[in-house]
Structure formats: structure tokens, C-alpha cells
Amino acid sequence: MLDTIPALDRTRLAAIAAAITCVAVVGIGLSLSIPLLSIEMARMGASSTMIGINTAVSGIASILTVPFVPRLAARTGVVRLLVLAIGLGAICLAAFPMLRGIGAWFVLRFVFSAALGALFVLSEFWINEAAPPARRGLVMGVYATVLALGFAVGPTLLAVLGTEGFRPYLAGSGLFLAGMVPLALARGLSPAIARGSGRRFAGYLRLAPAATLAALVYGAVETGGFAILPLYGLRLGYDAETAAGLVSALALGNVLFQIPFGWLADRMDRRVVLLVAAIGGALGAALIPAASASFPALLALLFAWGGIAGTLYTVGLAHLGSVVRGADLAGANAAFIVLYNVGLILGPPVIGGGMDLVPPQGFAWTLCGLFLAYGAVVAWRLRAPPRP
């Protein structure tokens, strides 16, 4: 059967599979580490505020270091820098249980997050560059689905391995190192980044605002929704376990909607798909207050709403790959990741502040406002002719 596939297509497929497998394996290790570090810091006597600040270092590290990744990759090579980033992440994970001071953990968290930022920028650049233009949306949908499944596996492994001792850290470190295997097998297939290429950060915002701002809104909605939704459930009178279960509905929808929306984005103007996602996100958020009177109705709505909201990242990446070409694509991916991390930092306080201002339904109205603002940007961009 492989004989019927053109050599170019086989090369593209091998490159895409290597990049996706690498990120999926690292995603498992990352999702294992995030709750593990929070639990261990609590055992060390850190306050919830201190744990939150330490977690926020992740976004700050990405914002400060990611813009330099394309320039560094142009000097070292994409695969070499990916291997270095994975190796550095593995070392940091193994070092956490050895360096027990809170101050040391801030430094490790910064370095760890900087390595992850480089990993995601370069892997998404590689996938976008290798994806056939007519199938870019579907490829990004597969990537997002595999990554989401990887993130679901991590906490499950943590439940099996436990949270004490070196074992969970070494397991996460080992998963990181396993991500080097597909890179080694596909080392001759990675794209090159020309030296001296790329624009300033603001240039990518002007070139592809619908794509780059999709990352900002998704980062804010994802983190704000996941962080504030359990508090919203508590305000509605649900117990802690039930309130936390609302997040599962969001996560499941996020997994199941990526490939269908990616497939749809290959068959029509991707900006239209982004506008549909923005309108669907705004409508879904606006219906949350009415659905909150019935737990089954709220679960069903959150499932659909979470799925639609999650497609902003997938379709935004696919649209970015169609608007930005060649040497500029790595820089555009860096801008995409930076804006996603800005959203991670801004989302929880903005959405939480909305719920405090108009309790409890300000949670829903703030989310609705974010989607409407983004939808206005996409509608404005639809005046220009589409890119293939």
C-alpha cells in the first residue's frame, strides 16, 4: 500500500508523525509534572499564593524566551534545538526532588518552562511546514487531539505511581527522553530556518491578527475556564467533587471536536471557521446562566462549548500556516505561543474578577465578552481575500 503513496507524501507523513509523537510523549510528562509540583510544594509548606506564583512563572518564562527561539534554531538547527530542549526539560524534572528549596524551584520552573516553550514553537512550526496546504486543518486537528490525549494520560500515571519519592519525577523525565526517539528517526526531515529571517513581534500581529489573537483568547478561556469553573460550581451550590467534575466536560469536548473542525477548516475559508467558533463560544457562554439550573443541561452545554472554544487553537494554527510562509513561519509560531501565554496569565484574574463583580454569572458574561471581541476582529479580517 505504501508503494501507491508518492515519496513526497511519505516524507511529509513521516515528518508530521515524528513531530506529533515527540510532543505527545512530552505532553504526558508535562501533565504528570504540573499537579505533582503543586502537591510537593504544599508538602514543603508553601502557601497557595506561593504555589500560584510559582506556576505563573511558566507563562512569564515563555513570554521572555520564546521570541528568541527561531533565531537560535536558525543557528543550531531545528532538530538539534528540539533535542536540547527535551534534554534540559528532563534534567530539570529529575532535579526538582534533589533541590528542595522554594527559591531553587523558581529557577528550575523558569528553565523548565523556557525549554517547553522552545519545544512547542519548533514542533508546531515543523508540523505546519510539513502539512499539505489542503490538509493543514486536519493535520493540526490530529496534533491537538493527540496532545490533549497525552495530557489526559499524565494524571492517570501519577495516580498509579504516587506523588512521593523520586519515582514520579524520574518517570516524567524518562517520558521526556523518549520524545527524542522519533526526532532521531526523522532527523533528516526537519525544515531549516534561514538566518536573519523573521519580523518583529508586532509585525505578525498585523500580518495575521485572526490567527495570532486566537491563541490569546484560547489561552485566556482555557486557563480561566479551567481555574474558575470549579469556583463557579461551588457558587451554584455543588459540592467540591461535582464542581471539579464540570471541568471534565470541558476537557472531553476539547478532545472530540478538534479533528472535525480541522477537517472543516480545509473545506472553507479558515477565517469563517474561526468566526463560527467565536460566535459559538459567545453563544455557549451566554447560555451558561440558563443551563446552570440543571446539572445535566450544564454538563451538555459545557461539553459542546468546550469543544468549540478549543478549536480556536487548532484552526488558528492552521490559518497561521496559510497566511505566513517560509522563513517567517517559525517567528509567527513564536508569536502565537507568546500570545497564548499572555492569555494564560490574563485569563484567570479577568474571568475571576468578572465573577466577583457580578456573582456568580459574571463568569459566563466575561467569557461571552472575550469571544465577542475576538469575533469582531475576525469579521473585520474577512474583508480581505482568503489565503489557500
mmCIF file of all heavy atoms in Angstrom, residues 152-202:
data_model
loop_
_atom_site.group_PDB
_atom_site.id
_atom_site.type_symbol
_atom_site.label_atom_id
_atom_site.label_comp_id
_atom_site.label_asym_id
_atom_site.label_seq_id
_atom_site.Cartn_x
_atom_site.Cartn_y
_atom_site.Cartn_z
ATOM 1 N N ALA A 152 -4.145 13.943 29.122
ATOM 2 C CA ALA A 152 -5.064 13.168 29.960
ATOM 3 C C ALA A 152 -4.371 11.968 30.595
ATOM 4 O O ALA A 152 -4.761 11.513 31.674
ATOM 5 C CB ALA A 152 -6.256 12.705 29.125
ATOM 6 N N VAL A 153 -3.328 11.454 29.938
ATOM 7 C CA VAL A 153 -2.632 10.272 30.438
ATOM 8 C C VAL A 153 -1.776 10.605 31.655
ATOM 9 O O VAL A 153 -1.669 9.804 32.596
ATOM 10 C CB VAL A 153 -1.768 9.646 29.320
ATOM 11 C CG1 VAL A 153 -0.862 8.557 29.879
ATOM 12 C CG2 VAL A 153 -2.656 9.083 28.225
ATOM 13 N N GLY A 154 -1.160 11.789 31.680
ATOM 14 C CA GLY A 154 -0.236 12.154 32.742
ATOM 15 C C GLY A 154 -0.796 12.011 34.145
ATOM 16 O O GLY A 154 -0.206 11.326 34.996
ATOM 17 N N PRO A 155 -1.953 12.646 34.448
ATOM 18 C CA PRO A 155 -2.515 12.492 35.795
ATOM 19 C C PRO A 155 -2.857 11.052 36.149
ATOM 20 O O PRO A 155 -2.776 10.657 37.318
ATOM 21 C CB PRO A 155 -3.776 13.367 35.734
ATOM 22 C CG PRO A 155 -3.481 14.379 34.669
ATOM 23 C CD PRO A 155 -2.675 13.641 33.654
ATOM 24 N N THR A 156 -3.247 10.265 35.136
ATOM 25 C CA THR A 156 -3.534 8.847 35.387
ATOM 26 C C THR A 156 -2.269 8.110 35.830
ATOM 27 O O THR A 156 -2.293 7.300 36.770
ATOM 28 C CB THR A 156 -4.106 8.187 34.118
ATOM 29 O OG1 THR A 156 -5.269 8.898 33.702
ATOM 30 C CG2 THR A 156 -4.473 6.739 34.390
ATOM 31 N N LEU A 157 -1.152 8.384 35.167
ATOM 32 C CA LEU A 157 0.115 7.786 35.569
ATOM 33 C C LEU A 157 0.500 8.211 36.982
ATOM 34 O O LEU A 157 1.037 7.410 37.759
ATOM 35 C CB LEU A 157 1.222 8.196 34.594
ATOM 36 C CG LEU A 157 1.285 7.470 33.257
ATOM 37 C CD1 LEU A 157 2.397 8.052 32.400
ATOM 38 C CD2 LEU A 157 1.512 5.976 33.460
ATOM 39 N N LEU A 158 0.202 9.465 37.310
ATOM 40 C CA LEU A 158 0.523 9.955 38.644
ATOM 41 C C LEU A 158 -0.261 9.197 39.702
ATOM 42 O O LEU A 158 0.247 8.905 40.791
ATOM 43 C CB LEU A 158 0.225 11.455 38.725
ATOM 44 C CG LEU A 158 0.812 12.212 39.917
ATOM 45 C CD1 LEU A 158 2.321 12.123 39.915
ATOM 46 C CD2 LEU A 158 0.353 13.661 39.897
ATOM 47 N N ALA A 159 -1.513 8.862 39.384
ATOM 48 C CA ALA A 159 -2.316 8.094 40.325
ATOM 49 C C ALA A 159 -1.736 6.697 40.536
ATOM 50 O O ALA A 159 -1.829 6.131 41.630
ATOM 51 C CB ALA A 159 -3.753 7.989 39.808
ATOM 52 N N VAL A 160 -1.111 6.155 39.505
ATOM 53 C CA VAL A 160 -0.504 4.823 39.607
ATOM 54 C C VAL A 160 0.835 4.878 40.340
ATOM 55 O O VAL A 160 1.125 4.037 41.201
ATOM 56 C CB VAL A 160 -0.320 4.213 38.204
ATOM 57 C CG1 VAL A 160 0.455 2.899 38.280
ATOM 58 C CG2 VAL A 160 -1.668 4.012 37.530
ATOM 59 N N LEU A 161 1.640 5.882 40.018
ATOM 60 C CA LEU A 161 2.994 5.974 40.572
ATOM 61 C C LEU A 161 3.045 6.593 41.961
ATOM 62 O O LEU A 161 4.008 6.388 42.708
ATOM 63 C CB LEU A 161 3.879 6.803 39.628
ATOM 64 C CG LEU A 161 4.111 6.232 38.226
ATOM 65 C CD1 LEU A 161 4.824 7.248 37.351
ATOM 66 C CD2 LEU A 161 4.928 4.945 38.298
ATOM 67 N N GLY A 162 2.002 7.363 42.316
ATOM 68 C CA GLY A 162 2.028 8.081 43.577
ATOM 69 C C GLY A 162 2.733 9.419 43.423
ATOM 70 O O GLY A 162 3.301 9.734 42.366
ATOM 71 N N THR A 163 2.726 10.210 44.484
ATOM 72 C CA THR A 163 3.295 11.558 44.429
ATOM 73 C C THR A 163 4.510 11.726 45.342
ATOM 74 O O THR A 163 5.009 12.837 45.487
ATOM 75 C CB THR A 163 2.222 12.595 44.819
ATOM 76 O OG1 THR A 163 1.795 12.343 46.172
ATOM 77 C CG2 THR A 163 1.033 12.540 43.881
ATOM 78 N N GLU A 164 4.982 10.648 45.946
ATOM 79 C CA GLU A 164 6.105 10.753 46.866
ATOM 80 C C GLU A 164 7.337 10.058 46.304
ATOM 81 O O GLU A 164 7.235 9.102 45.528
ATOM 82 C CB GLU A 164 5.731 10.145 48.222
ATOM 83 C CG GLU A 164 4.575 10.870 48.911
ATOM 84 C CD GLU A 164 4.310 10.321 50.308
ATOM 85 O OE1 GLU A 164 5.215 9.650 50.853
ATOM 86 O OE2 GLU A 164 3.218 10.561 50.836
ATOM 87 N N GLY A 165 8.491 10.541 46.727
ATOM 88 C CA GLY A 165 9.741 9.926 46.310
ATOM 89 C C GLY A 165 10.183 10.370 44.927
ATOM 90 O O GLY A 165 9.622 11.279 44.315
ATOM 91 N N PHE A 166 11.190 9.691 44.394
ATOM 92 C CA PHE A 166 11.782 10.056 43.113
ATOM 93 C C PHE A 166 11.031 9.463 41.924
ATOM 94 O O PHE A 166 11.191 9.937 40.799
ATOM 95 C CB PHE A 166 13.248 9.569 43.069
ATOM 96 C CG PHE A 166 14.188 10.434 43.839
ATOM 97 C CD1 PHE A 166 14.306 10.311 45.219
ATOM 98 C CD2 PHE A 166 14.971 11.386 43.195
ATOM 99 C CE1 PHE A 166 15.176 11.107 45.936
ATOM 100 C CE2 PHE A 166 15.848 12.187 43.901
ATOM 101 C CZ PHE A 166 15.953 12.058 45.279
ATOM 102 N N ARG A 167 10.245 8.418 42.161
ATOM 103 C CA ARG A 167 9.679 7.666 41.036
ATOM 104 C C ARG A 167 8.860 8.515 40.062
ATOM 105 O O ARG A 167 9.069 8.424 38.842
ATOM 106 C CB ARG A 167 8.851 6.499 41.571
ATOM 107 C CG ARG A 167 8.376 5.561 40.474
ATOM 108 C CD ARG A 167 7.879 4.247 41.027
ATOM 109 N NE ARG A 167 6.777 4.413 41.970
ATOM 110 C CZ ARG A 167 6.082 3.409 42.474
ATOM 111 N NH1 ARG A 167 6.387 2.155 42.128
ATOM 112 N NH2 ARG A 167 5.096 3.620 43.326
ATOM 113 N N PRO A 168 7.913 9.353 40.523
ATOM 114 C CA PRO A 168 7.141 10.120 39.539
ATOM 115 C C PRO A 168 7.986 11.112 38.753
ATOM 116 O O PRO A 168 7.742 11.328 37.553
ATOM 117 C CB PRO A 168 6.091 10.832 40.395
ATOM 118 C CG PRO A 168 6.630 10.833 41.775
ATOM 119 C CD PRO A 168 7.431 9.585 41.898
ATOM 120 N N TYR A 169 8.996 11.702 39.400
ATOM 121 C CA TYR A 169 9.863 12.641 38.694
ATOM 122 C C TYR A 169 10.694 11.920 37.635
ATOM 123 O O TYR A 169 10.858 12.416 36.508
ATOM 124 C CB TYR A 169 10.793 13.341 39.692
ATOM 125 C CG TYR A 169 10.081 14.193 40.692
ATOM 126 C CD1 TYR A 169 9.747 13.689 41.958
ATOM 127 C CD2 TYR A 169 9.728 15.506 40.395
ATOM 128 C CE1 TYR A 169 9.084 14.470 42.888
ATOM 129 C CE2 TYR A 169 9.066 16.296 41.326
ATOM 130 C CZ TYR A 169 8.741 15.772 42.567
ATOM 131 O OH TYR A 169 8.080 16.541 43.490
ATOM 132 N N LEU A 170 11.216 10.761 37.998
ATOM 133 C CA LEU A 170 12.022 10.009 37.041
ATOM 134 C C LEU A 170 11.169 9.481 35.890
ATOM 135 O O LEU A 170 11.638 9.403 34.746
ATOM 136 C CB LEU A 170 12.723 8.852 37.749
ATOM 137 C CG LEU A 170 13.788 9.265 38.782
ATOM 138 C CD1 LEU A 170 14.394 8.033 39.441
ATOM 139 C CD2 LEU A 170 14.873 10.125 38.136
ATOM 140 N N ALA A 171 9.901 9.141 36.189
ATOM 141 C CA ALA A 171 9.006 8.703 35.122
ATOM 142 C C ALA A 171 8.755 9.844 34.135
ATOM 143 O O ALA A 171 8.803 9.646 32.909
ATOM 144 C CB ALA A 171 7.688 8.215 35.718
ATOM 145 N N GLY A 172 8.497 11.046 34.657
ATOM 146 C CA GLY A 172 8.304 12.195 33.787
ATOM 147 C C GLY A 172 9.552 12.499 32.976
ATOM 148 O O GLY A 172 9.481 12.786 31.774
ATOM 149 N N SER A 173 10.716 12.429 33.618
ATOM 150 C CA SER A 173 11.980 12.661 32.926
ATOM 151 C C SER A 173 12.205 11.617 31.835
ATOM 152 O O SER A 173 12.643 11.939 30.719
ATOM 153 C CB SER A 173 13.128 12.630 33.936
ATOM 154 O OG SER A 173 14.355 12.913 33.317
ATOM 155 N N GLY A 174 11.875 10.370 32.142
ATOM 156 C CA GLY A 174 12.027 9.307 31.147
ATOM 157 C C GLY A 174 11.112 9.501 29.950
ATOM 158 O O GLY A 174 11.507 9.235 28.806
ATOM 159 N N LEU A 175 9.899 9.992 30.189
ATOM 160 C CA LEU A 175 8.977 10.260 29.081
ATOM 161 C C LEU A 175 9.512 11.375 28.198
ATOM 162 O O LEU A 175 9.383 11.323 26.966
ATOM 163 C CB LEU A 175 7.593 10.619 29.635
ATOM 164 C CG LEU A 175 6.791 9.441 30.193
ATOM 165 C CD1 LEU A 175 5.612 9.929 31.016
ATOM 166 C CD2 LEU A 175 6.310 8.541 29.057
ATOM 167 N N PHE A 176 10.105 12.379 28.823
ATOM 168 C CA PHE A 176 10.730 13.438 28.028
ATOM 169 C C PHE A 176 11.803 12.861 27.117
ATOM 170 O O PHE A 176 11.849 13.148 25.910
ATOM 171 C CB PHE A 176 11.340 14.490 28.952
ATOM 172 C CG PHE A 176 10.423 15.651 29.246
ATOM 173 C CD1 PHE A 176 9.239 15.458 29.933
ATOM 174 C CD2 PHE A 176 10.745 16.926 28.839
ATOM 175 C CE1 PHE A 176 8.394 16.506 30.214
ATOM 176 C CE2 PHE A 176 9.906 17.987 29.107
ATOM 177 C CZ PHE A 176 8.723 17.790 29.801
ATOM 178 N N LEU A 177 12.672 12.046 27.695
ATOM 179 C CA LEU A 177 13.763 11.478 26.910
ATOM 180 C C LEU A 177 13.237 10.582 25.792
ATOM 181 O O LEU A 177 13.840 10.505 24.711
ATOM 182 C CB LEU A 177 14.707 10.705 27.826
ATOM 183 C CG LEU A 177 15.463 11.551 28.858
ATOM 184 C CD1 LEU A 177 16.298 10.658 29.770
ATOM 185 C CD2 LEU A 177 16.344 12.593 28.183
ATOM 186 N N ALA A 178 12.117 9.900 26.042
ATOM 187 C CA ALA A 178 11.525 9.067 24.989
ATOM 188 C C ALA A 178 11.094 9.903 23.791
ATOM 189 O O ALA A 178 11.036 9.397 22.660
ATOM 190 C CB ALA A 178 10.324 8.296 25.546
ATOM 191 N N GLY A 179 10.791 11.186 24.029
ATOM 192 C CA GLY A 179 10.432 12.064 22.923
ATOM 193 C C GLY A 179 11.562 12.305 21.946
ATOM 194 O O GLY A 179 11.337 12.785 20.827
ATOM 195 N N MET A 180 12.810 11.968 22.335
ATOM 196 C CA MET A 180 13.943 12.126 21.422
ATOM 197 C C MET A 180 13.958 11.046 20.342
ATOM 198 O O MET A 180 14.553 11.245 19.278
ATOM 199 C CB MET A 180 15.257 12.064 22.194
ATOM 200 C CG MET A 180 15.499 13.224 23.125
ATOM 201 S SD MET A 180 17.135 13.068 23.896
ATOM 202 C CE MET A 180 17.152 14.499 24.983
ATOM 203 N N VAL A 181 13.325 9.911 20.602
ATOM 204 C CA VAL A 181 13.402 8.778 19.670
ATOM 205 C C VAL A 181 12.811 9.132 18.308
ATOM 206 O O VAL A 181 13.481 8.946 17.274
ATOM 207 C CB VAL A 181 12.722 7.538 20.272
ATOM 208 C CG1 VAL A 181 12.687 6.411 19.248
ATOM 209 C CG2 VAL A 181 13.441 7.103 21.542
ATOM 210 N N PRO A 182 11.568 9.637 18.231
ATOM 211 C CA PRO A 182 11.050 9.991 16.902
ATOM 212 C C PRO A 182 11.858 11.095 16.225
ATOM 213 O O PRO A 182 11.946 11.128 14.992
ATOM 214 C CB PRO A 182 9.607 10.440 17.182
ATOM 215 C CG PRO A 182 9.562 10.760 18.638
ATOM 216 C CD PRO A 182 10.544 9.834 19.281
ATOM 217 N N LEU A 183 12.458 11.983 17.010
ATOM 218 C CA LEU A 183 13.287 13.031 16.413
ATOM 219 C C LEU A 183 14.528 12.430 15.761
ATOM 220 O O LEU A 183 14.931 12.838 14.669
ATOM 221 C CB LEU A 183 13.706 14.045 17.475
ATOM 222 C CG LEU A 183 12.599 14.903 18.089
ATOM 223 C CD1 LEU A 183 13.183 15.853 19.118
ATOM 224 C CD2 LEU A 183 11.865 15.686 17.015
ATOM 225 N N ALA A 184 15.134 11.467 16.432
ATOM 226 C CA ALA A 184 16.325 10.818 15.876
ATOM 227 C C ALA A 184 15.993 10.086 14.580
ATOM 228 O O ALA A 184 16.775 10.100 13.624
ATOM 229 C CB ALA A 184 16.914 9.849 16.899
ATOM 230 N N LEU A 185 14.804 9.473 14.532
ATOM 231 C CA LEU A 185 14.406 8.725 13.341
ATOM 232 C C LEU A 185 14.092 9.639 12.166
ATOM 233 O O LEU A 185 14.183 9.217 11.008
ATOM 234 C CB LEU A 185 13.186 7.857 13.666
ATOM 235 C CG LEU A 185 13.407 6.747 14.706
ATOM 236 C CD1 LEU A 185 12.099 6.039 15.024
ATOM 237 C CD2 LEU A 185 14.451 5.752 14.211
ATOM 238 N N ALA A 186 13.706 10.884 12.458
ATOM 239 C CA ALA A 186 13.311 11.809 11.390
ATOM 240 C C ALA A 186 14.245 13.014 11.314
ATOM 241 O O ALA A 186 13.846 14.076 10.846
ATOM 242 C CB ALA A 186 11.873 12.270 11.627
ATOM 243 N N ARG A 187 15.486 12.839 11.753
ATOM 244 C CA ARG A 187 16.381 13.999 11.851
ATOM 245 C C ARG A 187 16.669 14.629 10.497
ATOM 246 O O ARG A 187 17.009 15.811 10.418
ATOM 247 C CB ARG A 187 17.682 13.591 12.532
ATOM 248 C CG ARG A 187 18.477 12.505 11.840
ATOM 249 C CD ARG A 187 19.671 12.074 12.683
ATOM 250 N NE ARG A 187 20.431 11.002 12.065
ATOM 251 C CZ ARG A 187 20.136 9.726 12.166
ATOM 252 N NH1 ARG A 187 19.071 9.357 12.850
ATOM 253 N NH2 ARG A 187 20.875 8.792 11.577
ATOM 254 N N GLY A 188 16.562 13.872 9.412
ATOM 255 C CA GLY A 188 16.830 14.445 8.092
ATOM 256 C C GLY A 188 15.619 15.079 7.450
ATOM 257 O O GLY A 188 15.704 15.567 6.310
ATOM 258 N N LEU A 189 14.482 15.093 8.134
ATOM 259 C CA LEU A 189 13.238 15.582 7.545
ATOM 260 C C LEU A 189 12.803 16.943 8.071
ATOM 261 O O LEU A 189 11.816 17.496 7.597
ATOM 262 C CB LEU A 189 12.100 14.571 7.803
ATOM 263 C CG LEU A 189 12.347 13.137 7.342
ATOM 264 C CD1 LEU A 189 11.151 12.266 7.715
ATOM 265 C CD2 LEU A 189 12.584 13.101 5.838
ATOM 266 N N SER A 190 13.526 17.472 9.043
ATOM 267 C CA SER A 190 13.085 18.722 9.658
ATOM 268 C C SER A 190 13.365 19.902 8.735
ATOM 269 O O SER A 190 14.360 19.907 8.001
ATOM 270 C CB SER A 190 13.784 18.938 11.001
ATOM 271 O OG SER A 190 15.153 19.210 10.810
ATOM 272 N N PRO A 191 12.520 20.934 8.762
ATOM 273 C CA PRO A 191 12.761 22.119 7.941
ATOM 274 C C PRO A 191 13.862 22.980 8.536
ATOM 275 O O PRO A 191 14.145 22.907 9.734
ATOM 276 C CB PRO A 191 11.412 22.857 7.986
ATOM 277 C CG PRO A 191 10.813 22.439 9.298
ATOM 278 C CD PRO A 191 11.259 21.014 9.528
ATOM 279 N N ALA A 192 14.495 23.779 7.697
ATOM 280 C CA ALA A 192 15.539 24.693 8.153
ATOM 281 C C ALA A 192 14.952 26.098 8.291
ATOM 282 O O ALA A 192 13.986 26.457 7.632
ATOM 283 C CB ALA A 192 16.701 24.703 7.169
ATOM 284 N N ILE A 193 15.546 26.878 9.181
ATOM 285 C CA ILE A 193 15.157 28.276 9.366
ATOM 286 C C ILE A 193 16.323 29.131 8.918
ATOM 287 O O ILE A 193 17.436 28.994 9.435
ATOM 288 C CB ILE A 193 14.805 28.571 10.833
ATOM 289 C CG1 ILE A 193 13.644 27.678 11.286
ATOM 290 C CG2 ILE A 193 14.447 30.046 11.014
ATOM 291 C CD1 ILE A 193 13.314 27.826 12.767
ATOM 292 N N ALA A 194 16.093 30.014 7.941
ATOM 293 C CA ALA A 194 17.167 30.844 7.405
ATOM 294 C C ALA A 194 17.612 31.873 8.435
ATOM 295 O O ALA A 194 16.791 32.453 9.146
ATOM 296 C CB ALA A 194 16.708 31.548 6.131
ATOM 297 N N ARG A 195 18.900 32.112 8.517
ATOM 298 C CA ARG A 195 19.422 33.109 9.448
ATOM 299 C C ARG A 195 19.005 34.507 9.002
ATOM 300 O O ARG A 195 18.941 34.807 7.813
ATOM 301 C CB ARG A 195 20.940 33.049 9.504
ATOM 302 C CG ARG A 195 21.482 31.773 10.121
ATOM 303 C CD ARG A 195 22.943 31.925 10.469
ATOM 304 N NE ARG A 195 23.495 30.696 11.018
ATOM 305 C CZ ARG A 195 24.678 30.618 11.609
ATOM 306 N NH1 ARG A 195 25.417 31.698 11.737
ATOM 307 N NH2 ARG A 195 25.116 29.465 12.082
ATOM 308 N N GLY A 196 18.729 35.328 9.996
ATOM 309 C CA GLY A 196 18.355 36.706 9.706
ATOM 310 C C GLY A 196 16.945 36.870 9.204
ATOM 311 O O GLY A 196 16.547 37.956 8.786
ATOM 312 N N SER A 197 16.145 35.801 9.213
ATOM 313 C CA SER A 197 14.763 35.882 8.737
ATOM 314 C C SER A 197 13.835 36.260 9.881
ATOM 315 O O SER A 197 14.195 36.207 11.041
ATOM 316 C CB SER A 197 14.336 34.539 8.140
ATOM 317 O OG SER A 197 14.402 33.524 9.117
ATOM 318 N N GLY A 198 12.624 36.614 9.524
ATOM 319 C CA GLY A 198 11.606 36.891 10.530
ATOM 320 C C GLY A 198 11.322 38.376 10.681
ATOM 321 O O GLY A 198 12.066 39.235 10.227
ATOM 322 N N ARG A 199 10.199 38.667 11.323
ATOM 323 C CA ARG A 199 9.742 40.032 11.556
ATOM 324 C C ARG A 199 9.787 40.328 13.037
ATOM 325 O O ARG A 199 10.015 39.450 13.857
ATOM 326 C CB ARG A 199 8.293 40.192 11.066
ATOM 327 C CG ARG A 199 8.062 39.827 9.613
ATOM 328 C CD ARG A 199 6.574 39.723 9.338
ATOM 329 N NE ARG A 199 6.313 39.337 7.960
ATOM 330 C CZ ARG A 199 5.788 40.151 7.042
ATOM 331 N NH1 ARG A 199 5.463 41.391 7.382
ATOM 332 N NH2 ARG A 199 5.584 39.732 5.817
ATOM 333 N N ARG A 200 9.500 41.573 13.354
ATOM 334 C CA ARG A 200 9.290 41.933 14.750
ATOM 335 C C ARG A 200 7.962 41.357 15.215
ATOM 336 O O ARG A 200 7.075 41.075 14.406
ATOM 337 C CB ARG A 200 9.306 43.447 14.919
ATOM 338 C CG ARG A 200 10.669 44.071 14.681
ATOM 339 C CD ARG A 200 10.618 45.573 14.937
ATOM 340 N NE ARG A 200 11.927 46.185 14.742
ATOM 341 C CZ ARG A 200 12.848 46.278 15.683
ATOM 342 N NH1 ARG A 200 12.599 45.787 16.891
ATOM 343 N NH2 ARG A 200 14.010 46.848 15.433
ATOM 344 N N PHE A 201 7.810 41.228 16.539
ATOM 345 C CA PHE A 201 6.614 40.612 17.106
ATOM 346 C C PHE A 201 5.341 41.288 16.596
ATOM 347 O O PHE A 201 4.393 40.630 16.178
ATOM 348 C CB PHE A 201 6.680 40.695 18.634
ATOM 349 C CG PHE A 201 5.515 40.079 19.336
ATOM 350 C CD1 PHE A 201 5.457 38.717 19.543
ATOM 351 C CD2 PHE A 201 4.457 40.864 19.783
ATOM 352 C CE1 PHE A 201 4.375 38.137 20.189
ATOM 353 C CE2 PHE A 201 3.381 40.302 20.428
ATOM 354 C CZ PHE A 201 3.343 38.934 20.631
ATOM 355 N N ALA A 202 5.305 42.628 16.622
ATOM 356 C CA ALA A 202 4.106 43.354 16.187
ATOM 357 C C ALA A 202 3.792 43.097 14.715
ATOM 358 O O ALA A 202 2.637 43.187 14.293
ATOM 359 C CB ALA A 202 4.277 44.843 16.437
#
